[in-house]
């Protein structure tokens, strides 16, 4: 499948703003555990925090619940941050393989921010990844930001729900090898987009980017303190914008 083009991301950004009032957002990212039989000689590698064996689908979706990037075969024992760190998605973003549009002024303001993905609290805050504020004591603006982000981010959970309900195999413990399970999940994601296009003539199913997982630790790209600081600064600008619009 072709890599999404810059104009694809711009269209996705426009749709997120129309539907959720989140400017410059180009997708929601999350991980989904798929239950599998314990692979031979795997120890606890696939055993997740939910107390079952799994592989993980890391996916990005647009505002219409279509998958735009998918990456499978992460071990169930890994958390969201580690999965992202070892993912090809992060490498593709940071090495500019993904043609993300340049920063733009937010509508009706002089505030400029980069285009970004949105994730839940399990992800790091980065220049290209926004997440909710954490803590028990938040300002009114921080709480409002969290609510706005969560309203937009829920679309990725809805996509996973549709996927699971449509293909009953995902409601069972899959008996196949992790490699076969990976192929089943990828095929289901492609079919998900095809069905969306057949029932709703918006977007283009060819925009799905199927990423290739690798166990090579040299692909790992960790978030340094400067990257997190930039993310914090961008989130602050977004918070300021959303509180006034």
């Amino acid at each position: 499948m072709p890599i999404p083009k810059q104009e694809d991301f711009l269209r996705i950004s426009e749709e997120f703003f129309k539907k959720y009032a989140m400017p410059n957002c180009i997708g929601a990212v999350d991980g989904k555990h798929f239950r599998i039989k314990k692979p031979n000689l795997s120890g606890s590698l696939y055993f997740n925090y939910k107390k079952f064996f799994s592989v993980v689908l890391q996916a990005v979706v647009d505002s219409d619940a279509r998958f735009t990037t998918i990456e499978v075969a992460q071990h169930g024992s890994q958390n969201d941050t580690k999965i992202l760190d070892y993912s090809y998605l992060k490498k593709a973003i940071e090495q500019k393989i993904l043609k993300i549009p340049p920063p733009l002024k937010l509508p009706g303001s002089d505030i400029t921010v980069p285009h970004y993905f949105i994730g839940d609290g399990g992800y790091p805050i980065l220049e290209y990844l926004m997440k909710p504020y954490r803590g028990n004591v938040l300002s009114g603006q921080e709480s409002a930001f969290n609510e706005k982000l969560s309203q937009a981010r829920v679309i990725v959970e809805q996509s996973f729900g549709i996927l699971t309900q449509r293909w009953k195999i995902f409601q069972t413990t899959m008996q196949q090898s992790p490699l076969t399970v990976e192929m089943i999940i990828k095929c289901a994601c492609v079919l998900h987009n095809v069905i969306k296009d057949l029932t709703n003539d918006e977007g283009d199913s060819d925009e799905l980017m199927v990423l290739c997982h690798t166990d090579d630790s040299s692909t790992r790209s960790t978030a340094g303190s400067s990257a997190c600081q930039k993310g914090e600064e961008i989130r602050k600008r977004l918070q300021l914008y959303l509180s006034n619009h």
Side-chain angles (χ1 to χ4, degrees):
M1 296 289 180
I3 297 174
K5 303 179 183 68
Q6 189 172 103
E7 53 265 34
D8 298 325
F9 284 124
L10 288 172
R11 177 189 58 77
I12 292 169
S13 175
E14 290 174 2
E15 290 300 319
F16 262 103
F17 185 64
K18 287 178 184 176
K19 292 186 176 183
Y20 303 109
M22 286 293 292
N24 290 16
C25 177
I26 54 174
V29 61
D30 203 359
K32 165 70 176 172
H33 287 265
F34 290 85
R35 192 184 295 264
I36 63 170
K37 180 180 71 173
K38 180 185 177 182
N40 293 333
L41 305 176
S42 63
S44 61
L45 188 61
Y46 291 88
F47 196 67
N48 64 42
Y49 71 97
K50 298 180 180 182
K51 308 301 182 184
F52 61 85
F53 296 94
S54 65
V55 296
V56 184
L57 164 65
Q58 178 180 266
V60 176
V61 304
D62 65 15
S63 64
D64 291 317
R66 287 182 180 83
F67 294 107
T68 57
T69 78
I70 56 172
E71 188 167 2
V72 195
Q74 300 287 0
H75 306 128
S77 60
Q78 296 176 322
N79 60 30
D80 287 341
T81 296
K82 185 173 288 187
I83 288 171
L84 180 67
D85 278 346
Y86 282 95
S87 72
Y88 186 77
L89 173 64
K90 187 173 184 182
K91 179 180 178 181
I93 295 169
E94 296 184 349
Q95 295 187 4
K96 303 189 185 306
I97 298 169
L98 276 182
K99 302 303 181 183
I100 294 175
L104 290 177
K105 286 185 179 180
L106 302 180
S109 79
D110 292 325
I111 300 174
T112 300
V113 301
H115 288 82
Y116 57 87
F117 300 96
I118 53 176
D120 64 19
Y123 285 99
I125 181 78
L126 298 168
E127 184 177 1
Y128 51 83
L129 179 57
M130 296 291 102
K131 60 177 280 186
Y133 286 97
R134 303 184 72 172
N136 296 323
V137 181
L138 298 177
S139 69
Q141 289 185 352
E142 290 171 341
S143 296
F145 175 87
N146 283 2
E147 182 177 357
K148 183 73 70 175
L149 186 146
S150 296
Q151 288 172 352
R153 193 196 63 79
V154 75
I155 191 66
V156 67
E157 295 179 357
Q158 292 173 358
S159 301
F160 291 150
I162 295 168
L163 197 70
T164 302
Q165 289 299 315
R166 180 168 282 142
W167 284 280
K168 303 303 181 184
I169 189 174
F170 297 143
Q171 299 175 28
T172 68
T173 299
M174 287 182 275
Q175 302 298 306
Q176 298 84 359
S177 69
L179 181 59
T180 301
V181 170
E182 175 183 352
M183 297 307 298
I184 292 170
I185 295 170
K186 286 180 177 179
C187 288
C189 290
V190 172
L191 289 172
H192 168 94
N193 282 8
V194 171
I195 293 169
K196 288 287 292 182
D197 289 338
L198 289 174
T199 57
N200 181 3
D201 192 25
E202 296 178 8
D204 184 351
S205 61
D206 284 344
E207 292 165 12
L208 176 61
M209 179 183 179
V210 181
L211 302 176
C212 298
H213 170 71
T214 175
D215 286 321
D216 183 358
S217 62
S218 66
T219 64
R220 186 182 183 190
S221 177
T222 56
S225 59
S226 60
C228 294
Q229 184 176 357
K230 285 182 181 178
E232 294 278 5
E233 292 170 356
I234 292 164
R235 183 169 62 178
K236 189 70 176 178
R237 277 181 260 161
L238 274 172
Q239 174 200 313
L240 176 64
Y241 174 83
L242 293 173
S243 67
N244 293 310
H245 289 79

